[in-house]
Amino acid sequence: MGLIPSFIERKDVAESSDSIQISAIFEIEGRTLALLSDIEKKRTILSTVPSKLSEEADILLKSEEKTGAQINLDTGSKVEGYGVFSFSYGPVSAGVTEAGGFKLITYGERIVKVVPQINFKKRGVEHKAIGMKPEDALLLVERSAGNFSASYSTCFVTTIENILGLQVSSRSRWMRAVAIELERIYNHLHVFARLSETATQNVAAAEANVLKERVLRINAKYFGHRYLFGFNRIGSVYQNHFTKDRRKDLVNDIKNITRDFSHLVTYFLSSRIFLDRLQNTARLPHLDALKLGAVGPSARASAIDWDDRITYPIEPYNDIFVEIETEDEEDTMSRTMVRIREIQSSMLMLEQLLDRMPSDETMSDKTSDNGLNYMQDNFSFCRIESPSGDLIQVVQLDKEGYIKFLHIRPPSLVNWLPFAKSLEGNVFTDFQFAYESFGLSYADSDR
Amino acid sequence: MVKFWILHGIKNGILTTKYPKKKPTEEEIPARSVPPFAAPESNWIQGQETCPTDAIENNTNSLDLGRCIYCRRCSDAGFIFDDNPEDRHKSLQAKISQNELIRKEVAGIFSKKTNIFRKSFHILMIDVGSCNACNLEVLNLSNPYYDLTRLGIFFTNSPKHADVLVVVGALNKAMVDVLKQTYDSMPEPKLVISIGACAISGGIFKETESFVSSIDKVIPVDVTVPGCPPSPIQILQGLLLCMNKIEKDERIPGSKGGL
Amino acid sequence: MDIIQTVTIIGIFASFASASVIGYISKKTCYTLGIIGSSFGIILAFWMLLANTTPIDLTFWKVTQHSTFEFSLSSFNAYFLLICCLVWLGTCLYSLRYDDYPRGLASLLVLTMLSMVVIILAGDAVSFLVGWESMTITSFFMILMGKGKPDVIRRAAFLFLGFGEASTVFIMLAFGGMFSSFGSFDFLSISTIHVSGITASWVFVAALVGFGLKMGIAPFHMSEWLPIAHSNAPSNASAILSATLTLMGVYGYINVLTHLGQSELWWGWITLAIGGISTLLGALFASVSEHNKGLPAYSTIENNGLIIVAIGVYLLSSYYHLTLLGGFALVAALYHAFSHSISKASLFLIMGWISKVKGSFDLNNQVPISKDERRGSYLSGIITVFSLAAVPPLAGFVSEWMILEALFQSFRFGDVTSQIIGTITGAITALAAGIIIIAMTKAYGFGILWSGTTDLKIKNVFQQMLSIRTSFYYFLFLVVGIGVMAPGVFFLASSSTNQILQEKTFDTFVTGLLGIPAYFVILSGKPFGGFSPTFVAVFMTGLLVIPFIITRWGTKWKVRRTHGWFSGQNQPNDTFELYNSFGYSTPIRIMLSFLFRTKERIIQVGATRRPVILSPEEYIVEVEVLDVFKKFYDILTKFTLSLSYHTARKVMPGKIFVYLIYIMAAFIFVLLYTFFIIM
C-alpha cells in the first residue's frame, strides 16, 4: 500500500485524448496498471487500464502468460472464402532464424491475415529475477535479448540506480550511451544486410555484413564483448583501457565506417530493383500504427515522432545533438530510410560522445533522472530507445535490496501486431521484407 | 555501379580470415570469449561463490567451459584474464588445471577412411531458446570475413537436406518436440553441434522454469562449442572438426594464441 | 472382303446392339458385351492396318443412284476405330464396378459407342450424319444423368445439345458443299477426286467450325469442359466424351480435308492460329481449374489444339508442296490423337474413381481415402499425368516432340508470313506445354496423391474391385506401350495415312541412327531431328536402376520412415492447415490477371464499427477468374432463353423431353426422307 494511489494520475486525460497508446501493462500488488504514452504531448501516464484501450490491453496481457508453449497473437477475426487456408511458417525456418513462427491465412500468394506465434522460447526472465540480487539479475536481463543487450542492461541498471539513489560518474553514463549507439548501428546494419539479401542484392548484403562485422569487432575491442554483454555494472561500467588515445582510435574507426556506409547507401539507393521491392511493400498507416502501439523506427516511419532519446533523455542525450528521424510514406522503404538515417545520426552522436566524454571519474551531479520521476516504495521504471524501439522496464526492490518485481516491456512484443497489420493484402514474397524491416526479434519478445 | 563495386573490392583487398590454414588473429578471438586461465589457489572458493553458473568447481579445481558465460565476475575474485600480456606471467606461477567439457568423438563417420563430409557440408540451425546472439554469430559465418562457402559449408532450410544440426539456446519446454522432430527428419549420417553455454548446459537460464535440460540429454551431441556466444571463428572450428578438416589437437578452444 | 472382316463387323454391331438392349436389364452383361464388341473392333482394326491395306466399300443398301448406305473400311478409319475400341474396352471394364447410376446409363454408353462406330465406318454422308446425331443425343442423355443440382445439370446438358446441333448444322453445310462437287453423298471413303474453287473454302470453314465445335477448340471451348464439369457427368461417360467424342471431330475434320485437294494459304494460317490459341487457353484454364474433371476437360482442349496445330502445318506444307513435312505433321496429328485419347481416358477414370470415393468433385476438398481404395491409382496416375505433361519417353512426349519438330521446320515455308505464323505458333505451343505441367502436377498432387498422404480420419469406405484396378493397369500398359513402342504406333499411323499422302511414309521417318538399330529412331524430315523413345526408355531405366544397384549392392536394406516436414510443427490434423490446390494455382491467377481478368476481393466486415481499429471481425475472401468467352456465351444464352421463354410456352405446353426426342426423331426421318425424294 502507499504505492498505488499517488500513481494513478490523470485518468481523465487517458480517457479523453486520441493520441494515447498503451505502452506497458503489468500486475503489481494485485492491481493491473498501465503505462500510457501520449504521443502528441510527449508524456507518460501511469494509470489503470482505460476502458477504450481494453482490447489492446487484452492482447498485451495474453502475451504475458508464463508458459512453456507457444501463443498465437490472434486478434480473433475469422477468414472465410473458397480456397482459404492457413500456411504455417516456423518455428524452424531459414528466413526467421529464431524459434518463432507465423500462421499466414491466405488463399495462395496473397496474405489475408498474419498470426504471429510467439513464446516458443519464453524463458521467464522476469519471474526468475524475483528474489535475486540486482547484480545477479543483471546477467539474466542482459542475456534475454542478445542483440539489444546494451539497451537492456542500461535500462535495468538505470532503474536500479534510480531506486537506490546511487551516485554514478558522468563518464560511465557517457560510455553507456556509446554502447547503445554502437548497438543501434550494428542492428540497423543487420537489418540492412538482411533486406539486401532478401532482394538478392548480394554485393550490397556482403558490404553491409562487412560493416556490421567491423562494428562488432569495435565492440569487442573497446567493450570486451561483441554483443556488449557484461560491460554494465550497477553504479559503474566495466572499464578496461578506455583511454584518450583509444578513444581517438575509436573515433577514427567510426569515421571510416561512416564513409564506407555513405558510399554503400548512395549506391544502394541507385538500385532500382532494390527500391522497387521496398516501395509500397507492407504499408502501416499512421492511425493503425498509433492504435496498435507501434514503437521505434517502424512507428517513426509511419510519422509517429516519438524517440525516447529526446522524450526521456538519460544523461548524455540531453547534452548532445539528437534528432528524431521520421518518414511519412509508411512502407518498407520508409522504415529502411529511417534506419539508414539513424545509423548516420548515431555515428555523428558517437563522434560527439567520444570527443566530449569526461575523462575523470567525477560523480555526476544529476541523478538518473530522465523526466520519469516516479520513485516511491523502491519502485521505478525507465524507458530506453533500443534499436527496435522503446524499451520499458519496471522494477521494484524489497527492503533488503532484492528484486521484488520486474517487468520488461520489449519493443518487439508490441510491434508484432503492427507488423501483422501491415502485411494484410501483400503477397508471400513481401513477407521477408516486412519482417526484416520491422527489426523484430523473438528473443526480445519472449524474454 | 558495377564499376564501383569492383574498384571497391580491389581497394579493400581480401578480408577473409586465413583460418584454418593459419592461426586466427587476435581480432578474431575477442577478449570475452577467453575464459580465465589462472588464479591463486586460495581464491578458488571465492571464485566458486561469485560464479553465477557454477562453472568453477572448488573440489576438483576445474573450470567447466560448457557452463562459463564469460561474465568475468571471477576477476573480482582474483582470477586472471590475459587481456594484458603482462598478466600472462602470473599464470605460470599459479598451477591451475583447466577442465573442459568432454567432447565426444563421432565414431566411424569421420575417421580418415570415410570422410564423407569433407567436400560438401550442409548445416541447419535450430534455435531452441537462445537470446539471438548465438543465432547472429552463426549467421555471421556467411559474411565475407569468415565466408563459409569457401570451405564447402552451406546453410540449408530443411532438415531433409541437412548433414549437421547446429543447436543454439537453452532448451525450452515448447521446443523439445520440435528439436526431436527436426533431428528425426534428418537423413543418416547426421551430426549435432551444440553451440554456446545455453545449449551445452543451460548457461544463465538453467534455473528458469521453462528450461528442460542440456541438449545432449535429448539428442546425441557430437561436438560442443563453448562460449557466450562463441565467436564465429570458434563455431567454424566446431564445424571443421565435424568435417574432419582439422584434428582435435589443432583446436584452439576459446583462447588467444592457444593455451 | 474376307472372313475376318465379316465376322468382326457382325460381331461389333451384334455386341453393341444387343448390349444396348440388355443394358436396361443387366448392367454387367451390357458392359461385358461392350468389352466383347470393342475386342472385335480391335481385331478388325489391326487386321485392316497390318494385313490388308486395300480399302473396301461395303454397300448394303443402295437407296438411289446418289445415295447409298455404305460402310467404308480402310486403314485410315481403322486407325480411329483402333483408338476408340482400346478406350472403350478399358472404360467398359471400369464401368463394371463403377456404375451405380440409375438404369439406362449402360445402354446409353453402349449406344454412344455404337453411334461412333457408325461414324467411323460410314462411307457416305447420310450414315455419318445419322451416327453423328445419335451420338449427340445419347451423350446428351448421359450428361443429364449426372449427379448434382438438377437445374445446373439441365443447363449443362442443353448447352451440350445446343453446341452439338450447331455442329451438325455446320457439318451439313460442309457436306452440302461437297455434294455439289461430287454429285453424290458417297464421298467419305478415300477418293482421288477433290473439291476445288470457292466451294472448297466454304467446305473448309464449315468443317472447321462444325468439327471444331465437337473438339471444343477456341472459341467453342465451352462445349468441352462445361457439360463435363458443371454437370458432374458419370466418369465413364466423361472419359467417352472427352477421349473419343472429340476424336470424332478430329476424324471428321481430317477426312473432309482429304477431299479438298489443293489447299489455300489462309487455311493453314487460320488452322494454326486457332490451334495455338486453343492450346494456350486450354493449358491456362486447366492450371486454374478446381474441378476434378474440369481440369482434364480443359487439358483436352489443349491437346485438341495441338492436333489442330499439326493439321495446320500439314495444310501449309501441302500448299508449299512440302510432302515430307506434310506427311510428318499428319502422322504427328494422328499419333497425338492416339496418345491423348488413351491418356485422357485413363486420367478421367482415375479422377472419377477418386472423386466417387471422396464424394466430391472439388480438388480443394481434401478427403483422405484408405489405401485399399487408392490401389493402382498412384502408379497409373503418375504415368498418365507424365504422358499428358509430355515427359519422355511416354506417348505424350513423343507426339508433342513431333508437333514441335514440325513447327520448327516452318522455315521451310516459302513465305515470310507463314514462317512467322509458324514460329509464333511454335512458341505458344511450347509455352502451353510448359503451363500444362502445372495443371498436371496439380491434378496428380491434389487430385490423386494427396488423398493418401495424411493421417486424417478416413470417412468413406468403398470396396475397390478387381475390374477397376485392371482397367487402371490396362491403361497404364497402353500409355507406356505406345510411348516406348512409338515406332510401332508410327507404323500404324503412317499406314493409315498412306492413302491420303499417296506414298509410304514409314520408311522415310523411321530408321536407325548412331548405332541404334533400324526401326527405332523417328526422324522429323531429312536432315533434321531424331528421337528414339525406345532407347531413351532403356537409357532412363538404366539411369535409375544402375545407381540403385551400385549403392545397394551388398548393403542392408534400411528403410526409415519419418513424417513430412512442417517447419517444426506437428502434422496438421485439419485440412485448413494444409496447402490446397486453390493456393497452388493462385500465383498464376494473380500473375496472369490480365488474361484471366482475376478479381480479388478481401472484404473486411465490422472494421469500422468498432471503437478501436484493431482488426475486423471477419475477412471475406472472393477470388474470381473470368473466361471472356463464357461471358459471351452467357449473354447469348440469356438472350435465347428469354426469347424462347415467351414463344415456347405458347407453342408447346408439355414435357420438354418428349418434344426433344420427337424433334430428333423427326430430324433423322426428314433427313432420310429428303434423300429418297431427291434421288
Side-chain angles (χ1 to χ4, degrees):
Chain A
M1 192 48 219
L3 161 70
I4 310 299
S6 61
F7 281 97
I8 305 171
E9 62 163 41
R10 318 292 299 269
K11 199 182 170 208
D12 49 328
V13 178
E15 288 288 355
S16 67
S17 177
D18 265 348
S19 64
I20 282 186
Q21 75 175 199
I22 192 155
S23 286
I25 184 159
F26 50 90
E27 279 175 27
I28 184 165
E29 298 183 357
R31 300 282 297 268
T32 307
L33 289 183
L35 274 178
L36 309 170
S37 308
D38 192 337
I39 302 291
E40 245 173 51
K41 295 181 179 148
K42 304 266 184 299
R43 58 186 177 184
T44 306
I45 301 158
L46 183 64
S47 153
T48 52
V49 183
S51 58
K52 69 170 188 173
L53 294 175
S54 59
E55 215 170 330
E56 288 101 323
D58 280 350
I59 293 171
L60 262 182
L61 262 181
K62 192 184 163 197
S63 63
E64 301 289 334
E65 287 164 29
K66 292 189 198 75
T67 44
Q70 96 231 35
I71 291 174
N72 292 348
L73 275 186
D74 196 346
T75 50
S77 29
K78 286 183 290 178
V79 183
E80 275 180 12
Y82 182 81
V84 173
F85 66 98
S86 149
F87 182 86
S88 292
Y89 188 60
V92 185
S93 60
V96 173
T97 73
E98 276 191 77
F102 299 94
K103 275 192 189 304
L104 307 177
I105 317 290
T106 172
Y107 50 90
E109 198 67 11
R110 187 83 59 199
I111 298 169
V112 181
K113 186 186 156 190
V114 181
V115 180
Q117 294 179 308
I118 61 166
N119 274 21
F120 272 106
K121 55 176 184 179
K122 177 136 188 171
R123 286 144 292 170
V125 167
E126 291 141 310
H127 190 67
K128 176 70 178 39
I130 293 171
M132 284 174 97
K133 271 195 246 164
E135 51 264 41
D136 289 342
L138 175 61
L139 291 174
L140 211 56
V141 169
E142 73 182 1
R143 277 167 175 78
S144 49
N147 49 339
F148 301 154
S149 164
S151 310
Y152 264 70
S153 59
T154 308
C155 194
F156 186 73
V157 295
T158 312
T159 321
I160 299 288
E161 285 157 9
N162 208 356
I163 295 171
L164 298 177
L166 280 180
Q167 289 278 304
V168 186
S169 66
S170 292
R171 187 186 149 83
S172 303
R173 294 219 180 115
W174 283 65
M175 274 185 65
R176 282 172 193 167
V178 171
I180 289 175
E181 293 311 318
L182 281 170
E183 181 175 84
R184 193 183 319 284
I185 290 170
Y186 86 73
N187 269 295
H188 285 0
L189 280 170
H190 176 69
V191 169
F192 192 80
R194 293 285 288 183
L195 280 173
S196 315
E197 213 174 300
T198 312
T200 56
Q201 300 279 311
N202 289 335
V203 180
E207 290 287 337
N209 269 325
V210 164
L211 291 180
K212 180 190 160 197
E213 179 71 19
R214 274 159 75 179
V215 179
L216 287 176
R217 286 183 180 187
I218 286 176
N219 290 350
K221 193 170 165 191
Y222 295 97
F223 290 89
H225 195 279
R226 284 162 66 88
Y227 292 90
L228 303 163
F229 290 177
F231 87 94
N232 251 321
R233 292 179 166 198
I234 290 163
S236 66
V237 291
Y238 180 89
Q239 299 181 23
N240 51 337
H241 336 300
F242 216 69
T243 58
K244 200 162 187 178
D245 292 347
R246 281 173 73 98
R247 286 216 306 271
K248 248 177 209 160
D249 289 352
L250 179 52
V251 170
N252 278 338
D253 286 351
I254 285 164
K255 274 184 179 158
N256 284 340
I257 292 174
T258 315
R259 197 193 54 230
D260 288 355
F261 182 67
S262 55
H263 277 302
L264 180 62
V265 167
T266 318
Y267 287 95
F268 155 73
L269 290 179
S270 64
S271 165
R272 292 185 136 248
I273 305 166
F274 199 167
L275 299 190
D276 197 46
R277 294 303 286 117
L278 300 184
Q279 273 166 351
N280 274 328
T281 300
R283 292 182 80 91
L284 179 64
H286 176 73
L287 199 62
D288 282 337
L290 195 67
K291 290 295 177 196
L292 293 166
V295 295
S298 345
R300 289 196 282 279
S302 295
I304 295 177
D305 51 345
W306 180 286
D307 190 325
D308 286 339
R309 289 175 293 175
I310 291 150
T311 322
Y312 296 115
I314 51 171
E315 195 189 328
Y317 287 114
N318 46 24
D319 227 4
I320 58 170
F321 177 72
V322 195
E323 202 179 2
I324 300 187
E325 311 287 353
T326 56
E327 285 273 330
D328 51 7
E329 291 292 319
E330 306 165 344
D331 55 1
T332 302
M333 186 67 212
S334 303
R335 288 189 282 275
T336 315
M337 282 314 292
V338 166
R339 281 175 198 274
I340 288 173
R341 294 226 301 274
E342 280 191 18
I343 294 176
Q344 286 162 343
S345 71
S346 287
M347 283 169 171
L348 283 176
M349 253 183 257
L350 275 177
E351 286 174 24
Q352 288 182 58
L353 284 167
L354 291 165
D355 202 31
R356 293 168 46 201
M357 184 183 277
S359 49
D360 52 347
E361 287 287 330
T362 44
M363 290 298 161
S364 168
D365 48 348
K366 296 162 190 157
T367 51
S368 306
D369 166 23
N370 58 351
L372 294 170
N373 266 327
Y374 300 109
M375 220 293 287
Q376 197 170 339
D377 279 8
N378 293 338
F379 168 88
S380 180
F381 62 89
C382 181
R383 302 181 76 156
I384 290 275
E385 188 70 18
S386 79
S388 268
D390 167 38
L391 168 73
I392 302 173
Q393 288 183 6
V394 186
V395 186
Q396 191 181 18
L397 297 184
D398 63 13
K399 277 168 191 143
E400 285 81 37
Y402 290 93
I403 288 175
K404 191 176 168 192
F405 176 77
L406 169 66
H407 176 73
I408 302 172
R409 202 302 312 270
S412 296
L413 184 67
V414 284
N415 272 345
W416 283 123
L417 287 180
F419 160 71
K421 184 81 189 171
S422 78
L423 261 176
E424 285 176 11
N426 283 267
V427 293
F428 278 170
T429 42
D430 294 336
F431 178 86
Q432 197 69 26
F433 288 101
Y435 177 75
E436 299 298 350
S437 75
F438 270 86
L440 295 161
S441 158
Y442 280 95
D444 187 25
S445 62
D446 299 357
R447 70 274 173 208
Chain B
M1 176 141 183
V2 175
K3 204 172 81 185
F4 166 77
W5 291 127
I6 292 170
L7 287 177
H8 188 76
I10 291 169
K11 205 175 84 188
N12 278 8
I14 297 169
L15 297 172
T16 313
T17 174
K18 297 282 187 295
Y19 187 80
K21 282 182 184 158
K22 289 181 183 169
K23 281 194 170 184
T25 58
E26 285 201 9
E27 247 194 336
E28 285 159 4
I29 300 187
R32 281 289 173 118
S33 56
V34 181
F37 71 95
E41 262 186 64
S42 54
N43 292 4
W44 274 107
I45 296 172
Q46 208 188 336
Q48 190 191 7
E49 279 165 3
T50 51
C51 187
T53 54
D54 304 331
I56 299 164
E57 288 162 20
N58 183 36
N59 45 3
T60 54
N61 279 5
S62 65
L63 173 71
D64 189 344
L65 278 184
R67 289 181 181 175
C68 182
I69 58 165
Y70 304 84
C71 65
R72 301 216 164 186
R73 296 175 102 202
C74 46
S75 70
D76 295 346
F79 279 60
I80 298 156
F81 294 84
D82 63 348
D83 286 353
N84 273 342
E86 300 91 65
D87 291 345
R88 277 197 73 94
H89 70 276
K90 294 176 193 166
S91 67
L92 299 174
Q93 290 150 17
K95 291 176 187 170
I96 306 134
S97 67
Q98 275 200 32
N99 189 12
E100 288 170 25
L101 193 77
I102 297 158
R103 298 172 195 206
K104 284 183 283 176
E105 292 293 341
V106 185
I109 296 174
F110 59 91
S111 68
K112 284 286 177 193
K113 279 175 194 168
T114 51
N115 287 323
I116 63 165
F117 292 134
R118 267 184 97 83
K119 300 276 177 190
S120 153
F121 195 49
H122 285 74
I123 63 177
L124 174 78
M125 180 176 71
I126 177 172
D127 170 8
V128 291
S130 83
C131 68
N132 207 11
C134 292
N135 306 38
L136 291 178
E137 291 293 43
V138 174
L139 290 182
N140 278 345
L141 283 174
S142 61
N143 76 23
Y145 277 97
Y146 305 104
D147 193 16
L148 270 188
T149 42
R150 79 198 150 101
L151 299 164
I153 307 175
F154 307 94
F155 283 103
T156 177
N157 302 349
S158 164
K160 308 260 179 196
H161 306 154
D163 298 318
V164 66
L165 188 65
V166 175
V167 190
V168 296
L171 184 56
N172 199 301
K173 271 179 203 160
M175 291 299 287
V176 180
D177 286 346
V178 181
L179 179 64
K180 281 181 191 162
Q181 205 182 352
T182 312
Y183 182 75
D184 284 345
S185 295
M186 286 169 67
E188 306 266 4
K190 52 191 169 186
L191 299 175
V192 177
I193 308 183
S194 58
I195 282 179
C198 295
I200 299 167
S201 67
I204 192 79
F205 298 115
K206 70 171 186 289
E207 278 159 19
T208 56
E209 59 185 71
S210 61
F211 176 68
V212 180
S213 68
S214 57
I215 304 297
D216 56 357
K217 302 255 170 65
V218 182
I219 54 173
V221 173
D222 301 300
V223 173
T224 57
V225 181
C228 185
S231 65
I233 216 88
Q234 286 167 299
I235 301 173
L236 197 54
Q237 282 169 6
L239 291 171
L240 289 173
L241 200 64
C242 283
M243 291 170 83
N244 206 11
K245 279 200 173 174
I246 53 171
E247 293 292 318
K248 197 186 172 193
D249 305 334
E250 289 175 36
R251 216 176 30 183
I252 317 144
S255 69
K256 201 175 183 180
L259 278 167
Chain C
M1 182 138 180
D2 56 32
I3 180 85
I4 289 185
Q5 287 164 344
T6 322
V7 168
T8 46
I9 288 181
I10 293 170
I12 294 167
F13 278 93
S15 313
F16 282 133
S18 57
S20 65
V21 177
I22 295 169
Y24 286 94
I25 306 156
S26 162
K27 287 177 195 168
K28 294 238 160 105
T29 324
C30 172
Y31 288 126
T32 318
L33 281 169
I35 293 171
I36 295 167
S38 309
S39 314
F40 276 125
I42 294 168
I43 295 166
L44 174 62
F46 269 118
W47 185 254
M48 288 302 296
L49 283 165
L50 298 175
N52 190 352
T53 47
T54 43
I56 298 163
D57 278 1
L58 191 69
T59 311
F60 64 93
W61 185 15
K62 195 161 177 71
V63 184
T64 66
Q65 58 174 0
H66 297 298
S67 177
T68 48
F69 279 116
E70 67 168 42
F71 283 156
S72 153
L73 265 178
S74 68
S75 51
F76 176 64
N77 48 17
Y79 182 76
F80 286 92
L81 186 69
L82 176 66
I83 302 176
C84 286
C85 287
L86 283 173
V87 170
W88 296 339
L89 198 145
T91 313
C92 285
L93 200 60
Y94 171 86
S95 308
L96 281 174
R97 171 72 184 88
Y98 174 83
D99 187 0
D100 57 356
Y101 283 82
R103 265 195 317 186
L105 178 65
S107 291
L108 285 169
L109 203 75
V110 177
L111 265 179
T112 315
M113 294 173 190
L114 186 61
S115 339
M116 289 185 199
V117 173
V118 172
I119 293 172
I120 293 172
L121 295 185
D124 65 320
V126 185
S127 345
F128 187 94
L129 279 175
V130 170
W132 195 262
E133 259 319 290
S134 50
M135 175 181 80
T136 309
I137 295 159
T138 45
S139 308
F140 162 76
F141 283 112
M142 284 202 299
I143 292 170
L144 267 183
M145 295 184 85
K147 288 172 178 169
K149 284 182 190 165
D151 55 326
V152 177
I153 291 180
R154 201 165 291 184
R155 198 181 131 86
F158 278 105
L159 195 94
F160 176 83
L161 193 65
F163 276 114
E165 294 310 322
S167 136
T168 313
V169 169
F170 278 101
I171 291 167
M172 280 169 76
L173 277 176
F175 285 175
M178 288 165 80
F179 176 72
S180 69
S181 286
F182 290 109
S184 154
F185 280 105
D186 316 337
F187 49 71
L188 279 177
S189 51
I190 302 298
S191 67
T192 45
I193 320 160
H194 295 301
V195 187
S196 57
I198 190 84
T199 328
S201 298
W202 167 26
V203 170
F204 167 77
V205 172
L208 182 59
V209 175
F211 293 113
L213 273 162
K214 265 287 177 286
M215 290 163 75
I217 54 167
F220 315 116
H221 50 281
M222 300 304 125
S223 65
E224 167 61 30
W225 67 268
L226 213 134
I228 292 172
H230 273 207
S231 70
N232 301 337
S235 291
N236 46 358
S238 305
I240 296 289
L241 292 182
S242 209
T244 52
L245 190 134
T246 60
L247 189 70
M248 291 304 107
V250 180
Y251 166 72
Y253 188 50
I254 298 180
N255 200 333
V256 170
L257 285 183
T258 55
H259 295 87
L260 293 185
Q262 178 63 41
S263 71
E264 301 275 341
L265 184 57
W266 57 270
W267 296 1
W269 293 355
I270 284 187
T271 316
L272 274 184
I274 287 181
I277 291 168
S278 304
T279 311
L280 191 60
L281 270 183
L284 281 172
F285 279 96
S287 61
V288 298
S289 174
E290 298 300 329
H291 195 281
N292 256 357
K293 290 196 301 196
L295 193 151
Y298 268 121
S299 147
T300 302
I301 298 171
E302 188 245 355
N303 284 296
N304 281 333
L306 277 172
I307 295 170
I308 294 285
V309 165
I311 293 173
V313 175
Y314 162 67
L315 285 173
L316 274 179
S317 321
S318 68
Y319 174 80
Y320 292 114
H321 303 290
L322 300 163
T323 354
L324 213 59
L325 180 56
F328 188 73
L330 194 61
V331 172
L334 290 186
Y335 191 104
H336 194 79
F338 201 145
S339 77
H340 164 245
S341 292
I342 301 289
S343 319
K344 191 46 63 64
S346 172
L347 186 60
F348 264 114
L349 297 186
I350 295 168
M351 287 297 234
W353 175 251
I354 300 271
S355 309
K356 181 194 169 93
V357 181
K358 256 166 66 168
S360 157
F361 285 101
D362 193 348
L363 268 178
N364 244 334
N365 189 354
Q366 294 160 328
V367 183
I369 42 182
S370 73
K371 203 178 170 186
D372 224 31
E373 292 307 304
R374 293 182 267 112
R375 214 175 290 163
S377 66
Y378 278 6
L379 184 65
S380 188
I382 195 142
I383 295 295
T384 305
V385 159
F386 274 172
S387 170
L388 285 167
V391 173
L394 296 167
F397 175 80
V398 179
S399 56
E400 219 164 294
W401 171 80
M402 284 165 72
I403 292 168
L404 283 173
E405 284 281 304
L407 283 165
F408 271 133
Q409 297 181 57
S410 52
F411 68 86
R412 293 186 200 271
F413 298 150
D415 187 346
V416 179
T417 323
S418 301
Q419 288 171 355
I420 288 173
I421 290 178
T423 315
I424 290 174
T425 315
I428 289 176
T429 313
L431 177 66
I435 291 169
I436 203 70
I437 292 173
I438 300 171
M440 286 304 141
T441 346
K442 185 171 157 177
Y444 187 66
F446 292 100
I448 301 169
L449 191 63
W450 187 92
S451 41
T453 53
T454 55
D455 302 333
L456 301 189
K457 215 181 154 198
I458 291 156
K459 281 175 195 159
N460 304 350
V461 177
F462 281 80
Q463 210 186 344
Q464 195 194 36
M465 266 173 53
L466 194 65
S467 84
I468 300 277
R469 220 175 318 154
T470 320
S471 73
F472 288 170
Y473 289 131
Y474 165 77
F475 278 114
L476 172 70
F477 170 75
L478 282 183
V479 171
V480 175
I482 58 178
V484 175
M485 294 310 295
V489 183
F490 212 92
F491 178 75
L492 299 180
S494 57
S495 78
S496 86
T497 57
N498 281 349
Q499 281 138 9
I500 303 171
L501 299 167
Q502 311 290 336
E503 66 175 306
K504 283 195 172 252
T505 49
F506 182 70
D507 293 337
T508 332
F509 296 129
V510 179
T511 54
L513 195 74
L514 299 172
I516 296 171
Y519 304 122
F520 280 107
V521 176
I522 300 172
L523 283 182
S524 62
K526 266 177 194 171
F528 206 71
F531 180 70
S532 171
T534 320
F535 277 79
V536 167
V538 171
F539 184 64
M540 283 173 77
T541 319
L543 275 186
L544 286 173
V545 171
I546 292 168
F548 188 77
I549 291 172
I550 289 171
T551 50
R552 289 292 172 193
W553 194 261
T555 53
K556 240 185 183 178
W557 266 103
K558 207 170 150 193
V559 179
R560 198 168 59 95
R561 285 187 192 281
T562 56
H563 284 289
W565 178 242
F566 293 89
S567 58
Q569 300 203 346
N570 287 332
Q571 194 150 17
N573 49 12
D574 183 4
T575 49
F576 183 70
E577 308 260 308
L578 286 166
Y579 206 77
N580 60 21
S581 73
F582 191 81
Y584 181 76
S585 47
T586 305
I588 310 169
R589 289 188 188 92
I590 294 176
M591 277 187 285
L592 299 179
S593 57
F594 63 96
L595 250 169
F596 289 118
R597 316 302 317 156
T598 313
K599 281 181 191 158
E600 294 174 77
R601 279 185 294 272
I602 303 177
I603 303 158
Q604 303 191 355
V605 182
T608 48
R609 270 183 280 121
R610 292 186 138 188
V612 178
I613 309 170
L614 248 188
S615 61
E617 284 159 15
E618 192 176 355
Y619 299 86
I620 296 176
V621 178
E622 288 170 5
V623 186
E624 254 176 41
V625 172
L626 181 78
D627 188 336
V628 186
F629 295 101
K630 183 169 183 281
K631 191 96 180 168
F632 170 71
Y633 286 118
D634 278 349
I635 294 166
L636 201 72
T637 322
K638 221 175 213 174
F639 175 72
T640 322
L641 277 179
S642 67
L643 192 75
S644 56
Y645 183 80
H646 298 292
T647 51
R649 284 297 154 99
K650 286 170 191 164
V651 185
M652 23 180 236
K655 262 196 167 180
I656 192 139
F657 288 107
V658 182
Y659 283 108
L660 265 173
I661 295 167
Y662 166 74
I663 289 168
M664 298 308 152
F667 176 80
I668 295 168
F669 176 75
V670 167
L671 206 64
L672 298 180
Y673 186 75
T674 333
F675 289 123
F676 280 117
I677 302 301
I678 295 171
M679 316 313 141

